[in-house]
Amino acid sequence: MIVGLETSCDDTAVGVVSQGVVRANRVASQVPVHQRFGGVVPEVAARNHLLTVLPTLEAALADAGIAPSAVRGLAVTNRPGLIGPLLVGVHTAKALALVWQVPLVGVHHIEAHVWAAMLQAERPTLPFLALAVSGGHTSLYRVEGPGQMTCLGRTLDDAAGECFDKGARLLGLGYPGGPEVDRLAALGDPGRFSLPRGMLGRNDGAFSFSGLKTALRLLVERLVAEGAAIEGQLQADLCASFQATLVEQLVRVTGEVARAHGLPDVVLAGGVAANRGLRAAMHDFGHRHGLRVWPVPLGLCTDNGAMVAGLGEALLEAGLRDDPDTLDAVPTGALRQAARAAEV
Ligand code: KG4
Ligand code: ZN
């Protein structure tokens, strides 16, 4: 039984994984706390993590039906993320590792998102290509194993989740906007408005979403100036057109990189991988181009502790671990940490 702690942003999450099977996955969401600010306030998030981390751990152990003595290892997101929130998880994990006398490993948040694809009965074949799409990241990785991930492409400006959230705000929707856009897009006409589709003709794994965001802003301003109210069917059509354009770019660039690097297994990971339009479009593209598409199971797309425990279990099995006296929280952390690279 491996316990994973995740506190890098606004969710306090604890998961329990054993042999790649999720035994518990508790998330204490702070969405109601940050909603009135329209985004995450780091200091407020850190203080809430302090209040919720131990009760969430207790609840997860109860869900898994185990006592602390059954825990064989601990994993914690120690990079990248908001420094205050990260520190709460890292220090909690270090203290628990010392008290429980179990090995500890720090994990990279995005790598944990990607590794969540392995927490299902049927798994992608290594090496695979992973599209990691979250609130802060939009990147493509070649994944060869736990701790072995190489970046093949990334966004030049906004992350896809950030674009969803900013677009949602322009359309009068609340925070976080991605799920709301997803819901309304299903009711709208994706062909009603034509928006810029990113950097067509570039073939290097680069994404760009700032032009789309600006075009949506100008479109909304024009519609409002013409007297339209952004609600009802118009709002749904705007959501559908905006989502379809964003998704089209994600699928196109991912498909290009999969072909260029000869990687037929494609994982979709991160909060935005929960998007129904993206999952459907990527499956459809896969059918047409001979790719096997592996979206992370729906309950494991947005931030959670099971993904941290899952990657932690794989890293510990590979012999990797961190010293509970020295493990640090690193806001901009690299994929592979220097100290661990020496051990590999
Ligand atoms: O991975 P995640 O939970 O946290 C980060 O590491 O950032 O991703 C959160 C992001 C937010 O931008 C949220 O709007 C987006 O994922 N998101 C979605 C959906 N569910 C969450 N975006 C589009 N469609 C969804 N269904
Ligand atoms: Zn995340």
Side-chain angles (χ1 to χ4, degrees):
M1 295 282 180
I2 306 296
V3 167
L5 301 185
E6 160 61 47
T7 65
S8 67
C9 190
D10 61 337
D11 289 314
T12 318
V14 182
V16 181
V17 163
S18 173
Q19 293 175 339
V21 176
V22 179
R23 305 297 170 126
N25 193 22
R26 275 276 176 164
V27 181
S29 170
Q30 293 185 18
V31 164
V33 177
H34 299 281
Q35 221 149 23
R36 67 194 169 106
F37 303 110
V40 178
V41 183
E43 183 61 23
V44 172
R47 284 165 193 263
N48 274 279
H49 286 308
L50 270 178
L51 298 176
T52 49
V53 67
L54 291 179
T56 309
L57 170 68
E58 279 174 6
L61 293 180
D63 287 349
I66 57 167
S69 57
V71 176
R72 291 285 171 270
L74 269 163
V76 62
T77 303
N78 77 319
R79 63 196 198 282
L82 303 169
I83 188 63
L86 280 173
L87 281 169
V88 176
V90 168
H91 284 282
T92 304
K94 288 162 79 163
L96 290 172
L98 289 169
V99 173
W100 290 348
Q101 291 289 300
V102 293
L104 170 70
V105 66
V107 311
H108 188 280
H109 180 79
I110 298 300
E111 196 185 347
H113 269 300
V114 168
W115 203 258
M118 301 301 254
L119 298 177
Q120 47 191 337
E122 269 198 80
R123 297 169 187 178
T125 309
L126 291 163
F128 57 73
L129 177 69
L131 170 67
V133 265
S134 71
H137 287 77
T138 296
S139 305
L140 287 161
Y141 298 97
R142 175 188 168 88
V143 182
E144 286 176 40
Q148 294 170 298
M149 213 161 89
T150 322
C151 186
L152 298 179
R154 57 160 49 108
T155 178
L156 301 177
D157 39 59
D158 290 349
E162 191 182 357
C163 188
F164 264 112
D165 293 338
K166 289 178 177 168
R169 197 189 288 208
L170 290 169
L171 296 174
L173 304 169
Y175 158 86
E180 272 295 286
V181 173
D182 189 356
R183 190 179 64 77
L184 287 175
L187 310 172
D189 171 12
R192 175 154 172 202
F193 299 103
S194 165
L195 292 159
R197 295 163 57 217
M199 302 170 299
L200 296 171
R202 240 178 115 147
N203 204 1
D204 56 357
F207 301 91
S208 170
F209 299 105
S210 62
L212 171 59
K213 186 187 61 188
T214 306
L216 181 68
R217 183 171 57 74
L218 295 174
L219 173 60
V220 169
E221 282 172 5
R222 180 170 64 75
L223 291 167
V224 170
E226 287 168 4
I230 308 300
E231 58 190 26
Q233 194 57 45
L234 174 62
Q235 192 182 35
D237 290 346
L238 283 163
C239 282
S241 303
F242 172 66
Q243 175 172 298
T245 311
L246 204 163
V247 162
E248 193 267 349
Q249 183 183 163
L250 290 173
V251 171
R252 172 167 41 83
V253 176
T254 303
E256 282 164 8
V257 171
R259 198 177 47 227
H261 290 265
L263 294 167
D265 281 50
V266 178
V267 161
L268 289 185
V272 179
N275 186 268
R276 286 172 295 167
L278 174 60
R279 294 169 88 92
M282 200 68 224
H283 269 305
D284 182 52
F285 184 91
H287 280 308
R288 284 186 284 116
H289 294 88
L291 301 176
R292 288 182 294 274
V293 177
W294 302 87
V296 163
L298 261 184
L300 300 178
C301 285
T302 48
D303 289 351
N304 65 87
M307 68 184 194
V308 177
L311 175 59
E313 180 175 56
L315 290 169
L316 290 169
E317 264 171 20
L320 294 164
R321 59 203 55 205
D322 287 295
D323 182 344
D325 287 328
T326 58
L327 179 67
D328 258 338
V330 193
T332 55
L335 276 174
R336 259 171 264 194
Q337 284 178 304
R340 282 224 237 112
E343 274 179 61
V344 177

